[in-house]
Amino acid sequence: MKLLNSNIFASAVMMFDLLLVVLFLGACSGGDSVANGTGSDAGEAELANSIVVTSPSGAPLARGMARLWGMNEDSMELEWSDTLDNDGRLKFASSLSGQHLLESRSGDSLSVMRWVDFGKQPSQTLAAAASVSLKGVITNRGVAVAGATVTILDKSVKTAADGSFAFDALPEGVHYAFVEGDFGKFSYQMQTGLENAGTTNNIDIADSIFTVVEDFEKWSSRQTMLGKSFGEGWWFICTDSLQGGKSSSPNIASKDILVTGAEAKNGSSLHIKFTIDPDFEGGYGVAGFSIGGDFDRSETPAFYDLRKTTAISFDAKGEGEMFLQITRRSDKGEREYHATKGMSLGSEWTHFTFTAKDFGTEFTAVNSLNFVVNKDAEIYLDNIRFDGISPSMWPSLGMDF
Protein backbone atom coordinates (compact mmCIF):
# COMPACT_ATOMS: atom_id res chain seq x y z
CA MET A 1 0.00 0.00 0.00
CA LYS A 2 1.27 3.45 -0.85
CA LEU A 3 1.62 5.50 2.34
CA LEU A 4 1.18 9.24 2.60
CA ASN A 5 3.98 11.56 1.67
CA SER A 6 5.62 11.89 5.10
CA ASN A 7 6.60 15.54 4.71
CA ILE A 8 3.13 16.60 3.58
CA PHE A 9 1.43 14.61 6.31
CA ALA A 10 3.90 15.79 8.96
CA SER A 11 3.12 19.42 8.20
CA ALA A 12 -0.60 18.65 8.31
CA VAL A 13 -0.34 16.95 11.71
CA MET A 14 1.70 19.87 13.05
CA MET A 15 -1.17 22.09 11.98
CA PHE A 16 -3.57 19.78 13.85
CA ASP A 17 -1.54 20.18 17.02
CA LEU A 18 -1.72 23.95 16.81
CA LEU A 19 -5.48 23.94 16.28
CA LEU A 20 -6.66 21.32 18.75
CA VAL A 21 -7.48 23.84 21.47
CA VAL A 22 -9.87 25.93 19.36
CA LEU A 23 -12.69 25.36 16.92
CA PHE A 24 -11.27 23.74 13.80
CA LEU A 25 -12.14 25.52 10.59
CA GLY A 26 -12.51 24.45 6.97
CA ALA A 27 -11.21 21.03 5.99
CA CYS A 28 -9.70 20.47 9.45
CA SER A 29 -12.40 21.07 12.02
CA GLY A 30 -13.02 20.16 15.65
CA GLY A 31 -15.41 20.74 18.51
CA ASP A 32 -15.93 23.78 20.66
CA SER A 33 -13.06 24.38 23.02
CA VAL A 34 -14.18 23.36 26.48
CA ALA A 35 -12.59 23.35 29.89
CA ASN A 36 -10.47 20.52 31.19
CA GLY A 37 -13.15 18.53 32.97
CA THR A 38 -15.78 15.85 33.07
CA GLY A 39 -18.96 17.78 33.57
CA SER A 40 -18.58 21.54 33.08
CA ASP A 41 -17.79 23.81 30.17
CA ALA A 42 -16.51 26.54 32.47
CA GLY A 43 -12.78 27.11 32.82
CA GLU A 44 -11.98 30.78 33.28
CA ALA A 45 -8.76 31.69 35.06
CA GLU A 46 -9.46 33.05 38.52
CA LEU A 47 -7.44 33.65 41.66
CA ALA A 48 -4.03 32.08 42.18
CA ASN A 49 -4.10 28.86 44.22
CA SER A 50 -7.90 28.78 44.34
CA ILE A 51 -10.83 27.24 42.53
CA VAL A 52 -14.23 28.93 42.39
CA VAL A 53 -17.48 26.97 42.10
CA THR A 54 -20.66 28.65 40.90
CA SER A 55 -24.31 27.76 40.41
CA PRO A 56 -25.62 27.42 36.81
CA SER A 57 -26.52 31.13 36.91
CA GLY A 58 -22.97 32.11 37.85
CA ALA A 59 -23.69 32.91 41.49
CA PRO A 60 -21.14 31.58 44.01
CA LEU A 61 -21.93 28.13 45.39
CA ALA A 62 -21.52 29.51 48.90
CA ARG A 63 -20.77 27.00 51.65
CA GLY A 64 -20.98 24.08 49.27
CA MET A 65 -19.04 20.92 49.94
CA ALA A 66 -15.79 20.12 48.13
CA ARG A 67 -13.90 16.82 48.15
CA LEU A 68 -10.69 15.59 46.56
CA TRP A 69 -10.44 11.99 45.39
CA GLY A 70 -7.42 9.97 44.36
CA MET A 71 -7.79 6.95 42.09
CA ASN A 72 -6.10 3.71 43.03
CA GLU A 73 -6.11 0.55 40.97
CA ASP A 74 -9.08 -0.87 42.90
CA SER A 75 -10.87 2.14 44.40
CA MET A 76 -11.43 5.87 44.58
CA GLU A 77 -9.97 7.14 47.83
CA LEU A 78 -11.30 10.25 49.59
CA GLU A 79 -8.19 12.26 50.40
CA TRP A 80 -9.52 15.60 51.60
CA SER A 81 -12.77 17.53 52.11
CA ASP A 82 -13.64 21.13 52.97
CA THR A 83 -16.38 23.73 52.63
CA LEU A 84 -16.39 26.49 50.02
CA ASP A 85 -16.35 30.01 51.44
CA ASN A 86 -19.12 32.53 50.91
CA ASP A 87 -17.66 33.43 47.51
CA GLY A 88 -17.72 29.79 46.39
CA ARG A 89 -13.93 29.73 46.59
CA LEU A 90 -11.84 26.73 47.55
CA LYS A 91 -8.26 27.56 48.47
CA PHE A 92 -5.86 24.66 48.14
CA ALA A 93 -2.44 24.08 49.62
CA SER A 94 0.56 24.68 47.41
CA SER A 95 1.93 21.31 48.56
CA LEU A 96 -0.74 19.45 46.60
CA SER A 97 0.54 17.74 43.47
CA GLY A 98 -0.59 15.21 40.90
CA GLN A 99 -4.03 14.55 39.45
CA HIS A 100 -7.04 14.43 41.75
CA LEU A 101 -10.76 14.39 41.09
CA LEU A 102 -12.30 17.53 42.56
CA GLU A 103 -15.99 17.08 43.36
CA SER A 104 -18.22 19.84 44.66
CA ARG A 105 -21.90 19.88 45.45
CA SER A 106 -24.76 21.67 47.18
CA GLY A 107 -26.79 18.89 48.74
CA ASP A 108 -27.95 16.43 46.09
CA SER A 109 -29.35 19.05 43.71
CA LEU A 110 -26.26 20.70 42.20
CA SER A 111 -22.86 19.14 41.60
CA VAL A 112 -19.74 19.26 39.44
CA MET A 113 -16.50 17.29 39.12
CA ARG A 114 -13.21 17.80 37.35
CA TRP A 115 -9.85 16.07 37.22
CA VAL A 116 -7.28 18.65 38.30
CA ASP A 117 -3.50 18.47 38.04
CA PHE A 118 -2.50 20.35 41.17
CA GLY A 119 1.12 20.43 40.09
CA LYS A 120 0.06 22.97 37.45
CA GLN A 121 -1.52 25.39 40.01
CA PRO A 122 -4.81 25.32 38.08
CA SER A 123 -6.85 28.35 39.12
CA GLN A 124 -10.23 28.13 37.41
CA THR A 125 -13.99 28.36 37.75
CA LEU A 126 -16.31 25.35 37.77
CA ALA A 127 -20.03 25.70 37.08
CA ALA A 128 -22.19 23.23 38.95
CA ALA A 129 -25.20 21.74 37.17
CA ALA A 130 -28.22 19.67 38.12
CA SER A 131 -27.20 16.29 39.54
CA VAL A 132 -28.15 13.39 37.29
CA SER A 133 -28.63 9.62 37.29
CA LEU A 134 -26.44 6.87 35.86
CA LYS A 135 -27.80 3.49 34.76
CA GLY A 136 -26.27 0.33 33.34
CA VAL A 137 -26.19 -3.46 33.21
CA ILE A 138 -23.53 -5.98 34.31
CA THR A 139 -23.32 -9.31 32.49
CA ASN A 140 -20.91 -12.24 32.28
CA ARG A 141 -20.71 -13.70 28.77
CA GLY A 142 -24.10 -12.22 28.12
CA VAL A 143 -25.71 -13.61 31.28
CA ALA A 144 -27.01 -11.13 33.87
CA VAL A 145 -24.88 -10.78 37.01
CA ALA A 146 -27.05 -10.28 40.11
CA GLY A 147 -25.72 -9.02 43.43
CA ALA A 148 -22.52 -7.43 42.13
CA THR A 149 -21.45 -4.24 43.90
CA VAL A 150 -20.97 -1.16 41.72
CA THR A 151 -19.20 1.77 43.42
CA ILE A 152 -18.91 5.36 42.17
CA LEU A 153 -17.26 7.86 44.52
CA ASP A 154 -18.81 7.12 47.96
CA LYS A 155 -22.00 5.55 46.56
CA SER A 156 -22.48 1.79 46.13
CA VAL A 157 -25.41 -0.17 44.70
CA LYS A 158 -26.12 -3.85 44.02
CA THR A 159 -27.12 -5.17 40.62
CA ALA A 160 -30.67 -6.54 40.34
CA ALA A 161 -31.64 -10.00 39.08
CA ASP A 162 -31.40 -8.76 35.50
CA GLY A 163 -27.93 -7.25 36.12
CA SER A 164 -29.20 -3.68 36.07
CA PHE A 165 -28.12 -0.92 38.45
CA ALA A 166 -28.84 2.78 38.90
CA PHE A 167 -27.31 5.74 40.73
CA ASP A 168 -29.00 9.02 41.60
CA ALA A 169 -27.57 12.47 42.36
CA LEU A 170 -24.20 12.18 40.61
CA PRO A 171 -22.24 14.97 38.91
CA GLU A 172 -22.76 14.91 35.17
CA GLY A 173 -19.95 13.40 33.09
CA VAL A 174 -17.64 10.40 32.84
CA HIS A 175 -17.26 8.42 36.06
CA TYR A 176 -14.74 5.78 37.04
CA ALA A 177 -16.70 2.89 38.53
CA PHE A 178 -15.54 -0.24 40.33
CA VAL A 179 -17.48 -3.48 39.93
CA GLU A 180 -16.92 -6.22 42.51
CA GLY A 181 -18.20 -9.77 43.00
CA ASP A 182 -17.00 -13.34 43.29
CA PHE A 183 -15.35 -12.75 39.88
CA GLY A 184 -12.99 -10.14 41.36
CA LYS A 185 -12.92 -6.34 41.18
CA PHE A 186 -12.46 -4.29 38.02
CA SER A 187 -12.62 -0.61 37.03
CA TYR A 188 -14.68 0.76 34.13
CA GLN A 189 -15.65 4.11 32.65
CA MET A 190 -19.35 4.95 32.81
CA GLN A 191 -21.25 8.00 31.60
CA THR A 192 -24.31 9.76 32.91
CA GLY A 193 -27.25 10.24 30.58
CA LEU A 194 -26.96 6.89 28.74
CA GLU A 195 -30.10 4.77 28.77
CA ASN A 196 -29.81 2.72 25.56
CA ALA A 197 -28.75 -0.91 25.40
CA GLY A 198 -25.26 -1.59 24.06
CA THR A 199 -23.67 1.60 25.39
CA THR A 200 -20.70 2.23 27.66
CA ASN A 201 -22.48 1.44 30.91
CA ASN A 202 -23.40 -2.09 29.85
CA ILE A 203 -20.36 -4.07 30.97
CA ASP A 204 -19.55 -7.71 30.28
CA ILE A 205 -17.03 -8.71 32.94
CA ALA A 206 -15.79 -11.64 30.83
CA ASP A 207 -14.18 -9.11 28.48
CA SER A 208 -10.48 -8.36 28.83
CA ILE A 209 -9.18 -5.38 30.81
CA PHE A 210 -9.49 -2.26 28.67
CA THR A 211 -9.84 1.51 28.67
CA VAL A 212 -12.38 3.03 26.30
CA VAL A 213 -10.88 5.87 24.31
CA GLU A 214 -14.06 6.58 22.34
CA ASP A 215 -17.44 4.95 21.79
CA PHE A 216 -19.21 8.02 20.32
CA GLU A 217 -21.90 8.20 23.01
CA LYS A 218 -22.65 11.75 24.22
CA TRP A 219 -20.06 13.03 21.74
CA SER A 220 -21.33 16.60 21.41
CA SER A 221 -18.06 18.13 22.64
CA ARG A 222 -16.00 16.29 19.94
CA GLN A 223 -13.64 15.14 22.67
CA THR A 224 -12.67 11.55 23.33
CA MET A 225 -14.07 9.96 26.47
CA LEU A 226 -10.63 10.26 28.05
CA GLY A 227 -10.45 13.88 26.91
CA LYS A 228 -13.76 14.66 28.59
CA SER A 229 -12.27 13.36 31.83
CA PHE A 230 -8.72 14.65 31.79
CA GLY A 231 -8.79 17.48 29.24
CA GLU A 232 -7.68 17.85 25.60
CA GLY A 233 -8.31 14.71 23.54
CA TRP A 234 -9.77 16.52 20.52
CA TRP A 235 -10.97 14.78 17.34
CA PHE A 236 -10.10 16.25 13.94
CA ILE A 237 -10.82 15.44 10.30
CA CYS A 238 -8.48 16.75 7.58
CA THR A 239 -7.58 16.16 3.96
CA ASP A 240 -4.88 17.23 1.53
CA SER A 241 -6.88 20.42 0.88
CA LEU A 242 -4.55 21.91 3.50
CA GLN A 243 -1.77 21.54 0.92
CA GLY A 244 -3.76 22.51 -2.17
CA GLY A 245 -5.37 19.17 -3.02
CA LYS A 246 -9.08 18.76 -3.73
CA SER A 247 -9.89 15.82 -1.48
CA SER A 248 -12.99 16.26 0.66
CA SER A 249 -14.61 14.94 3.82
CA PRO A 250 -17.43 15.92 6.20
CA ASN A 251 -16.83 18.57 8.83
CA ILE A 252 -16.15 17.11 12.28
CA ALA A 253 -18.92 19.32 13.69
CA SER A 254 -21.54 18.04 11.22
CA LYS A 255 -24.72 16.72 12.84
CA ASP A 256 -24.71 13.90 10.28
CA ILE A 257 -21.31 12.49 11.22
CA LEU A 258 -22.86 10.11 13.76
CA VAL A 259 -25.19 7.26 12.81
CA THR A 260 -27.56 5.31 15.04
CA GLY A 261 -29.87 2.33 14.69
CA ALA A 262 -29.07 -0.47 12.27
CA GLU A 263 -26.07 1.38 10.79
CA ALA A 264 -24.35 1.71 14.17
CA LYS A 265 -22.43 -0.90 16.13
CA ASN A 266 -23.70 0.19 19.53
CA GLY A 267 -25.74 3.28 20.29
CA SER A 268 -23.91 5.77 18.04
CA SER A 269 -21.04 5.21 15.59
CA LEU A 270 -18.85 7.57 13.57
CA HIS A 271 -19.44 7.69 9.80
CA ILE A 272 -17.00 9.43 7.42
CA LYS A 273 -16.86 9.37 3.62
CA PHE A 274 -13.59 10.53 2.07
CA THR A 275 -13.30 11.54 -1.59
CA ILE A 276 -9.58 11.64 -2.44
CA ASP A 277 -8.18 13.79 -5.26
CA PRO A 278 -6.56 11.28 -7.68
CA ASP A 279 -4.51 14.04 -9.35
CA PHE A 280 -2.84 15.26 -6.16
CA GLU A 281 0.36 13.39 -5.32
CA GLY A 282 0.16 11.96 -1.82
CA GLY A 283 -3.58 12.70 -1.50
CA TYR A 284 -5.04 11.69 1.85
CA GLY A 285 -7.87 11.87 4.33
CA VAL A 286 -7.44 11.61 8.10
CA ALA A 287 -9.77 11.17 11.06
CA GLY A 288 -7.86 11.19 14.32
CA PHE A 289 -7.59 12.49 17.83
CA SER A 290 -5.00 13.69 20.28
CA ILE A 291 -4.54 11.41 23.26
CA GLY A 292 -3.42 14.25 25.48
CA GLY A 293 -2.55 17.88 24.89
CA ASP A 294 -0.66 19.72 22.17
CA PHE A 295 2.64 18.10 21.14
CA ASP A 296 4.71 21.17 21.94
CA ARG A 297 2.70 23.21 24.44
CA SER A 298 0.11 22.02 26.91
CA GLU A 299 -1.00 22.42 30.51
CA THR A 300 -2.08 18.77 30.50
CA PRO A 301 0.08 15.76 29.58
CA ALA A 302 0.64 15.63 25.82
CA PHE A 303 2.15 12.15 25.89
CA TYR A 304 1.15 8.86 27.48
CA ASP A 305 3.21 5.79 28.27
CA LEU A 306 1.13 2.99 26.75
CA ARG A 307 3.70 0.21 26.94
CA LYS A 308 1.32 -1.83 29.11
CA THR A 309 -1.23 -1.69 26.30
CA THR A 310 -1.52 -5.17 24.80
CA ALA A 311 -3.31 -3.80 21.72
CA ILE A 312 -5.17 -0.87 20.20
CA SER A 313 -8.52 -2.24 19.06
CA PHE A 314 -11.71 -0.93 17.45
CA ASP A 315 -14.76 -1.97 15.43
CA ALA A 316 -15.01 -0.83 11.81
CA LYS A 317 -16.84 -1.44 8.55
CA GLY A 318 -17.24 0.39 5.24
CA GLU A 319 -15.65 0.43 1.82
CA GLY A 320 -12.03 0.87 0.77
CA GLU A 321 -8.80 0.59 2.69
CA MET A 322 -7.36 2.48 5.65
CA PHE A 323 -4.41 2.19 7.96
CA LEU A 324 -3.82 3.19 11.55
CA GLN A 325 -1.07 5.62 12.52
CA ILE A 326 0.29 6.87 15.84
CA THR A 327 2.43 9.91 16.51
CA ARG A 328 4.91 9.68 19.36
CA ARG A 329 7.80 11.60 20.86
CA SER A 330 11.27 10.23 20.16
CA ASP A 331 14.08 10.17 22.71
CA LYS A 332 15.34 13.37 21.07
CA GLY A 333 11.98 15.09 21.51
CA GLU A 334 11.08 14.87 17.82
CA ARG A 335 7.75 13.80 16.34
CA GLU A 336 7.70 10.29 14.90
CA TYR A 337 5.05 8.61 12.74
CA HIS A 338 4.40 4.86 12.82
CA ALA A 339 1.71 3.11 10.78
CA THR A 340 0.21 -0.34 10.36
CA LYS A 341 -0.32 -2.06 7.04
CA GLY A 342 -3.58 -1.27 5.27
CA MET A 343 -6.80 -3.00 6.29
CA SER A 344 -9.68 -3.66 3.91
CA LEU A 345 -13.15 -2.70 5.08
CA GLY A 346 -16.28 -4.72 4.36
CA SER A 347 -20.02 -4.39 4.80
CA GLU A 348 -20.03 -6.22 8.17
CA TRP A 349 -18.61 -4.91 11.42
CA THR A 350 -15.14 -6.33 12.12
CA HIS A 351 -13.10 -6.08 15.31
CA PHE A 352 -9.54 -4.98 14.44
CA THR A 353 -6.62 -5.42 16.83
CA PHE A 354 -3.12 -3.97 16.43
CA THR A 355 -0.15 -4.52 18.73
CA ALA A 356 3.02 -2.45 19.05
CA LYS A 357 4.67 -4.94 16.67
CA ASP A 358 2.21 -3.93 13.95
CA PHE A 359 3.43 -0.34 14.28
CA GLY A 360 7.09 -1.32 14.45
CA THR A 361 7.64 0.66 17.64
CA GLU A 362 6.91 0.72 21.36
CA PHE A 363 3.86 2.57 22.63
CA THR A 364 6.04 5.09 24.48
CA ALA A 365 5.17 8.81 24.68
CA VAL A 366 2.17 8.44 22.34
CA ASN A 367 0.53 11.71 21.34
CA SER A 368 -2.21 10.91 18.79
CA LEU A 369 -3.98 8.14 16.92
CA ASN A 370 -5.05 8.59 13.27
CA PHE A 371 -7.24 6.63 10.85
CA VAL A 372 -5.81 7.38 7.39
CA VAL A 373 -6.85 6.72 3.77
CA ASN A 374 -5.19 7.63 0.46
CA LYS A 375 -8.01 6.51 -1.81
CA ASP A 376 -11.77 6.99 -1.75
CA ALA A 377 -13.19 5.30 1.32
CA GLU A 378 -16.26 5.15 3.52
CA ILE A 379 -15.54 4.41 7.18
CA TYR A 380 -17.71 3.48 10.15
CA LEU A 381 -15.92 3.39 13.54
CA ASP A 382 -16.86 2.43 17.08
CA ASN A 383 -15.51 1.18 20.42
CA ILE A 384 -11.89 2.37 20.18
CA ARG A 385 -9.98 0.91 23.11
CA PHE A 386 -6.60 0.47 24.71
CA ASP A 387 -6.60 -3.20 25.70
CA GLY A 388 -4.59 -4.30 28.73
CA ILE A 389 -4.90 -0.95 30.56
CA SER A 390 -7.60 -0.51 33.19
CA PRO A 391 -9.19 2.97 33.47
CA SER A 392 -7.90 3.31 37.03
CA MET A 393 -4.34 3.24 35.65
CA TRP A 394 -4.82 6.18 33.29
CA PRO A 395 -3.93 9.16 35.56
CA SER A 396 -0.51 7.63 36.22
CA LEU A 397 0.41 7.22 32.55
CA GLY A 398 0.76 10.89 31.55
CA MET A 399 4.31 11.98 30.74
CA ASP A 400 5.97 15.34 31.22
CA PHE A 401 9.33 16.28 29.71
Side-chain angles (χ1 to χ4, degrees):
M1 176 180 180
K2 180 183 177 183
L3 299 183
L4 302 182
N5 180 295
S6 59
N7 290 331
I8 292 178
F9 190 56
S11 63
V13 173
M14 290 179 70
M15 294 180 71
F16 300 162
D17 293 338
L18 294 173
L19 295 173
L20 285 174
V21 295
V22 297
L23 180 67
F24 284 85
L25 301 174
C28 182
S29 57
D32 295 331
S33 179
V34 301
N36 171 14
T38 52
S40 169
D41 288 347
E44 300 297 327
E46 283 290 335
L47 301 176
N49 295 327
S50 70
I51 291 177
V52 176
V53 184
T54 73
S55 69
S57 66
L61 198 69
R63 314 310 298 173
M65 179 189 70
R67 300 189 291 185
L68 284 183
W69 298 84
M71 187 155 62
N72 302 317
E73 192 160 345
D74 62 354
S75 65
M76 294 286 287
E77 180 181 353
L78 180 61
E79 298 183 339
W80 179 85
S81 62
D82 202 352
T83 302
L84 303 173
D85 67 15
N86 289 330
D87 294 322
R89 183 182 296 112
L90 173 68
K91 295 183 178 180
F92 52 84
S94 59
S95 60
L96 281 171
S97 63
Q99 285 190 319
H100 301 267
L101 179 65
L102 172 63
E103 173 210 5
S104 184
R105 63 175 60 239
S106 177
D108 283 339
S109 59
L110 294 176
S111 57
V112 64
M113 62 181 180
R114 180 170 300 167
W115 282 94
V116 177
D117 186 344
F118 282 89
K120 306 290 187 181
Q121 305 249 327
S123 300
Q124 53 194 292
T125 295
L126 285 67
S131 298
V132 294
S133 63
L134 186 151
K135 299 179 180 180
V137 176
I138 306 298
T139 59
N140 187 354
R141 301 187 187 280
V143 178
V145 175
T149 301
V150 184
T151 302
I152 295 177
L153 298 176
D154 58 346
K155 298 176 181 285
S156 293
V157 298
K158 295 281 189 180
T159 56
D162 62 355
S164 64
F165 64 90
F167 288 87
D168 294 321
L170 289 177
E172 183 180 3
V174 178
H175 286 272
Y176 289 77
F178 295 85
V179 180
E180 185 174 15
D182 55 13
F183 46 80
K185 189 174 186 179
F186 303 98
S187 62
Y188 299 97
Q189 300 137 287
M190 297 182 182
Q191 297 187 68
T192 57
L194 297 182
E195 311 297 337
N196 297 327
T199 57
T200 311
N201 301 346
N202 294 344
I203 303 295
D204 195 311
I205 60 173
D207 207 349
S208 59
I209 295 173
F210 61 89
T211 294
V212 179
V213 183
E214 184 59 79
D215 64 354
F216 303 104
E217 312 303 329
K218 295 185 71 67
W219 199 55
S220 58
S221 70
R222 310 306 176 201
Q223 282 181 292
T224 63
M225 184 185 295
L226 288 172
K228 285 185 286 187
S229 293
F230 300 105
E232 308 296 349
W234 292 102
W235 275 86
F236 52 82
I237 295 179
C238 282
T239 69
D240 54 53
S241 60
L242 292 168
Q243 286 79 39
K246 297 181 180 179
S247 298
S248 62
S249 65
N251 189 291
I252 191 71
S254 169
K255 295 181 179 179
D256 300 325
I257 203 167
L258 296 182
V259 295
T260 58
E263 287 188 289
K265 175 66 176 179
N266 300 118
S268 298
S269 299
L270 187 71
H271 174 225
I272 310 167
K273 191 170 184 178
F274 288 105
T275 301
I276 305 302
D277 182 357
D279 299 323
F280 187 79
E281 183 179 0
Y284 67 86
V286 182
F289 54 85
S290 63
I291 293 174
D294 179 77
F295 192 97
D296 299 308
R297 303 176 304 280
S298 181
E299 294 184 0
T300 57
F303 309 96
Y304 281 82
D305 183 353
L306 304 183
R307 283 176 291 181
K308 292 184 179 179
T309 301
T310 56
I312 297 173
S313 66
F314 55 92
D315 296 316
K317 69 174 184 178
E319 295 182 4
E321 187 178 55
M322 71 176 180
F323 61 92
L324 195 61
Q325 181 192 65
I326 62 169
T327 62
R328 63 181 294 272
R329 185 185 189 273
S330 72
D331 293 339
K332 297 180 179 180
E334 299 170 344
R335 186 183 278 105
E336 292 183 348
Y337 305 90
H338 301 271
T340 67
K341 294 180 180 179
M343 67 199 87
S344 297
L345 301 175
S347 59
E348 300 295 324
W349 284 100
T350 300
H351 188 67
F352 292 94
T353 301
F354 294 97
T355 67
K357 185 177 180 180
D358 294 311
F359 291 89
T361 188
E362 287 189 317
F363 291 149
T364 307
V366 180
N367 173 254
S368 69
L369 184 66
N370 307 314
F371 298 85
V372 186
V373 304
N374 57 19
K375 293 182 180 179
D376 290 357
E378 185 173 20
I379 298 171
Y380 293 81
L381 290 174
D382 211 338
N383 302 323
I384 304 167
R385 311 190 321 190
F386 292 141
D387 295 325
I389 293 180
S390 67
S392 58
M393 295 168 60
W394 190 257
S396 68
L397 301 179
M399 301 178 69
D400 289 317
F401 294 93

